[in-house]
Amino acid sequence: MTKFNKTLLAAAVTLASTQSMAAGFQLNSQSATGIGRAMAGDAIIADNASVLSRNPAAMALFDEKALSIGASYADVQVEVTDVQYGDNHIGSMDNAAEAKFIPNFYYISPINDTWAYGVAAFSNYGTGTDLSSLNSGHDFNTPIDLLGNTEVTTINFNASVSYRINDSLSLGLGLDAVYGSGTLTRNGNIDIGLGDMPLNLVDVEADGWAVGGIVGLAYEFNENNRIGLSYRYSPQMEASGDIMYNPSVLLPQNFDSIEIPIADIAQLAGFHQLTDKFAIHYTAQWTQWSSFDNISVVDGDLGTANDVIKHYNWKDSWFLSLGATYDINETWTVRAGIASDQGVVGEVSSLSIPDSDRMWYSAGFTYNLTNKSSIDFGYTLVAGEKVHVLEDSALVGQVSAYTESGANYFSLQYNHTF
């Protein structure tokens, strides 16, 4: 397969990282309490059932049934400016991403003093963006192999158990069923000397299931100090459906599936109650984005059995956060946090991956409705760096652009214990 052939679907799939607002196309928005403290300590605080998204061992800290239901609204801004090649100025977009609702559900039930189980539904990965309008209104060819529409969604359905070994140490194990779906298009007009002609390079609508898992540990030094450790194995996602890309401009080819590796996640979290009202917490999260080495297609109708579309040069990333919680009284609790989120792009930059280092600034509160129920609100401002991108298009040559991404996260959650 020529370099042009390999670029087409790869450009479509790699754009999936633009709207996630964490390293690669990862989401860090599993709860309102987490959003309100920059996810600091989320694998061990266990102030509500959403801890299940980060560490199944922390279920051992619950002595009664707990339910948490919520959603986050991600108002994402992705600016793509000064897009050009040679003397041809393609233009800019102030907002290339779509805002998203990200729902979640958690339920934890202790069985006895030793065992507990839980079920959850949330998302670890997802994105949505559209750069296709940059292809319109020009009297020259545009890099339609790099610009287009992308919609990617993942849902993680989790079932977990925890086991308390002694007063200090608890272990947890969970199974993830991950559903992924996406729509990817790359099309536009191109002039090859015979006037403008429509060219459909990529047209994908696919979905699929994969199975992963998580293991966790919770260690309590005493009632005021504890740490949590977890490792989530993320599977390779294989999506099937309508998968077309145009390998030779004139001969489109259909494939049975796309194979996309998803990164594993490891994290260490701590919680320390310093006074009756004040606590600090922290998280160090490592994501194995180096495993996102290539994207491949399988079983083409023109005889291609398996081919790597594009290789990547992504690097493992760190998300480091620090937060604090203060109990004003029996009704109100406030929290805040700050985080440094490391980008994943290595030496090779890409217009379709406007990733960069980011800072998180977070605040939130809990309002206790009764001694059994509460409402959480969280807000996070994500500020990304402006990045200069140089990328080769198989259609027009090297493309230059500047990208900058940021977001406002708003999250609301209801908690109840039984």
Side-chain angles (χ1 to χ4, degrees):
M1 189 180 291
T2 66
K3 178 181 178 182
F4 175 67
N5 299 340
K6 292 176 181 290
T7 300
L8 301 182
L9 188 56
V13 176
T14 56
L15 191 57
S17 68
T18 60
Q19 194 244 333
S20 55
M21 288 302 98
F25 46 90
Q26 184 178 5
L27 293 171
N28 273 329
S29 57
Q30 288 79 21
S31 70
T33 42
I35 290 292
R37 58 188 174 221
M39 313 308 289
D42 262 33
I44 195 59
I45 292 182
D47 44 4
N48 56 62
S50 65
V51 70
L52 185 54
S53 68
R54 298 296 181 124
N55 184 4
M59 293 191 297
L61 301 174
F62 290 76
D63 56 11
E64 55 187 348
K65 298 176 182 178
L67 172 71
S68 293
I69 302 174
S72 297
Y73 178 75
D75 179 19
V76 181
Q77 302 87 39
V78 175
E79 294 183 0
V80 182
T81 56
D82 298 328
V83 184
Q84 65 181 67
Y85 67 93
D87 295 328
N88 297 308
H89 294 266
I90 298 173
S92 302
M93 287 190 69
D94 292 333
N95 194 355
E98 298 180 356
K100 293 291 182 184
F101 278 101
I102 309 168
N104 54 70
F105 168 86
Y106 308 96
Y107 176 75
I108 293 174
S109 179
I111 300 173
N112 51 42
D113 292 339
T114 302
W115 292 92
Y117 73 90
V119 293
F122 55 93
S123 180
N124 281 323
Y125 299 99
T127 187
T129 190
D130 191 353
L131 296 177
S132 57
S133 63
L134 288 173
N135 292 316
S136 303
H138 305 292
D139 58 0
F140 50 83
N141 290 331
T142 59
I144 63 175
D145 55 336
L146 305 182
L147 308 175
N149 181 56
T150 300
E151 182 75 24
V152 176
T153 302
T154 67
I155 305 173
N156 191 316
F157 299 96
N158 172 270
S160 296
V161 296
S162 67
Y163 177 75
R164 178 174 286 280
I165 296 177
N166 53 44
D167 290 342
S168 297
L169 180 63
S170 301
L171 303 178
L173 176 67
L175 182 68
D176 292 327
V178 184
Y179 173 75
S181 63
T183 300
L184 311 169
T185 60
R186 296 295 179 271
N187 54 65
N189 293 325
I190 188 169
D191 186 352
I192 56 175
L194 301 174
D196 281 351
M197 59 175 288
L199 181 60
N200 190 9
L201 298 178
V202 179
D203 192 353
V204 174
E205 187 168 352
D207 62 359
W209 288 88
V211 177
I214 183 171
V215 295
L217 174 151
Y219 189 82
E220 302 166 72
F221 297 98
N222 51 51
E223 63 180 2
N224 293 321
N225 298 276
R226 54 185 180 268
I227 59 171
L229 181 66
S230 68
Y231 188 93
R232 169 164 264 120
Y233 163 72
S234 298
Q236 176 170 275
M237 177 64 66
E238 183 170 342
S240 60
D242 297 323
I243 302 169
M244 185 284 294
Y245 82 105
N246 203 331
S248 62
V249 178
L250 300 176
L251 294 174
Q253 183 168 182
N254 295 309
F255 283 82
D256 284 349
S257 62
I258 306 174
E259 293 182 344
I260 306 172
I262 302 177
D264 291 358
I265 305 170
Q267 58 187 299
L268 171 68
F271 173 81
H272 305 283
Q273 189 75 43
L274 301 183
T275 70
D276 290 341
K277 292 181 175 293
F278 181 72
I280 61 170
H281 27 87
Y282 48 86
T283 288
Q285 176 181 283
W286 171 84
T287 306
Q288 192 184 16
W289 279 116
S290 60
S291 65
F292 188 70
D293 53 353
N294 66 69
I295 293 175
S296 60
V297 289
V298 179
D299 292 336
D301 60 2
L302 297 183
T304 303
N306 190 325
D307 202 350
V308 174
I309 299 173
K310 185 175 180 178
H311 292 278
Y312 290 84
N313 188 34
W314 282 16
K315 58 186 180 181
D316 298 340
S317 66
W318 284 93
F319 179 90
L320 305 174
S321 62
L322 176 66
T325 297
Y326 183 77
D327 295 320
I328 298 175
N329 50 42
E330 293 182 355
T331 303
W332 292 94
T333 296
V334 294
R335 58 184 60 88
I338 188 171
S340 172
D341 190 10
Q342 186 180 39
V344 302
V345 175
E347 297 178 358
V348 180
S349 61
S350 173
L351 175 62
S352 61
I353 312 176
D355 195 37
S356 69
D357 293 344
R358 302 179 176 96
M359 290 298 298
W360 287 46
Y361 306 97
S362 305
F365 64 83
T366 296
Y367 177 74
N368 293 309
L369 300 169
T370 69
N371 62 350
K372 291 288 187 179
S373 61
S374 63
I375 294 176
D376 295 326
F377 173 79
Y379 168 76
T380 287
L381 169 66
V382 180
E385 298 177 354
K386 192 171 186 178
V387 177
H388 183 212
V389 174
L390 294 173
E391 185 176 15
D392 291 330
S393 165
L395 298 177
V396 302
Q398 189 175 74
V399 178
S400 171
Y402 290 89
T403 63
E404 186 174 5
S405 58
N408 290 284
Y409 274 116
F410 304 88
S411 189
L412 192 65
Q413 181 175 296
Y414 174 75
N415 309 296
H416 192 81
T417 57
F418 304 88

